[in-house]
Amino acid sequence: MVIAEAEIWKLLEQVPDPEIPVISILDLGILRNVQWVNDTNEKQLKITITPTYSGCPAMDAIALQIRLILAEAGYKNVQIEYQLSPAWTTDWMSEKGKQKLKAYGIAPPLAQHQNDTLFSEGPQVPCPKCNANDTELISAFGATSCKALYRCKACNEPFDYFKCHR
């Protein structure tokens, strides 16, 4: 039985990012395509994903979760393709995903800071906990390569900022 690709997208919305479990691969924007292709004897489901950066260690865990969720739904003939070009960008993140990041305590990427290098002072990032704008960059690299570490001067809490990638 072959179901519509839209139903597969809905199933895959359940796959969380292993490093930030409150956001799905759909919200993160790494799920690029879902399509049925003809295999020798039966239809094959081809899933295309793009890593947030080259060498992202979470990709194998994500591919495994995709296979498990699809297998539970009865889909065994699944091909997962890694697409490196075009490179992933934070523009692909959903607004819902950005709100989930903020609620989790991670400042979402700020589009207006797309050209900041984060090597000196970094962009002015609002605190996701108290919304204060009086924050400072502690380290250009946070818990993962895609995040920077900040501290809020108003509430004195440290927080991660999901760096803008374009």
Side-chain angles (χ1 to χ4, degrees), residues 30-94:
I30 64 170
L31 179 59
R32 301 306 305 147
N33 195 26
V34 170
Q35 72 180 102
W36 290 102
V37 294
N38 288 325
D39 195 0
T40 51
N41 296 327
E42 62 180 300
K43 289 258 189 190
Q44 181 180 52
L45 187 56
K46 181 178 169 186
I47 309 296
T48 304
I49 54 179
T50 297
T52 55
Y53 67 93
S54 181
C56 176
M59 294 309 289
D60 288 339
I62 289 169
L64 178 61
Q65 286 299 311
I66 288 171
R67 289 185 189 285
L68 289 172
I69 282 179
L70 292 174
E72 286 176 14
Y75 300 98
K76 310 258 188 272
N77 195 6
V78 175
Q79 173 192 354
I80 298 178
E81 178 180 274
Y82 296 91
Q83 180 180 327
L84 301 178
S85 180
W88 178 84
T89 169
T90 48
D91 289 344
W92 296 353
M93 292 177 75
S94 71

Side-chain angles (χ1 to χ4, degrees), residues 41-160:
N41 296 327
E42 62 180 300
K43 289 258 189 190
Q44 181 180 52
L45 187 56
K46 181 178 169 186
I47 309 296
T48 304
I49 54 179
T50 297
T52 55
Y53 67 93
S54 181
C56 176
M59 294 309 289
D60 288 339
I62 289 169
L64 178 61
Q65 286 299 311
I66 288 171
R67 289 185 189 285
L68 289 172
I69 282 179
L70 292 174
E72 286 176 14
Y75 300 98
K76 310 258 188 272
N77 195 6
V78 175
Q79 173 192 354
I80 298 178
E81 178 180 274
Y82 296 91
Q83 180 180 327
L84 301 178
S85 180
W88 178 84
T89 169
T90 48
D91 289 344
W92 296 353
M93 292 177 75
S94 71
E95 285 306 312
K96 182 173 120 182
K98 290 175 185 178
Q99 291 306 312
K100 287 178 184 179
L101 283 176
K102 184 176 179 185
Y104 191 62
I106 298 172
L110 301 172
Q112 67 266 33
H113 296 120
Q114 65 184 348
N115 295 321
D116 286 328
T117 60
L118 292 177
F119 290 120
S120 57
E121 294 181 26
Q124 192 61 49
V125 177
C127 175
K129 298 172 184 177
C130 73
N131 293 316
N133 286 317
D134 191 13
T135 62
E136 65 180 337
L137 176 67
I138 302 298
S139 173
F141 300 98
T144 60
S145 297
C146 56
K147 294 182 281 188
L149 182 61
Y150 274 75
R151 183 181 70 83
C152 178
K153 292 179 183 178
C155 69
N156 287 320
E157 289 293 322
F159 64 92
D160 279 329

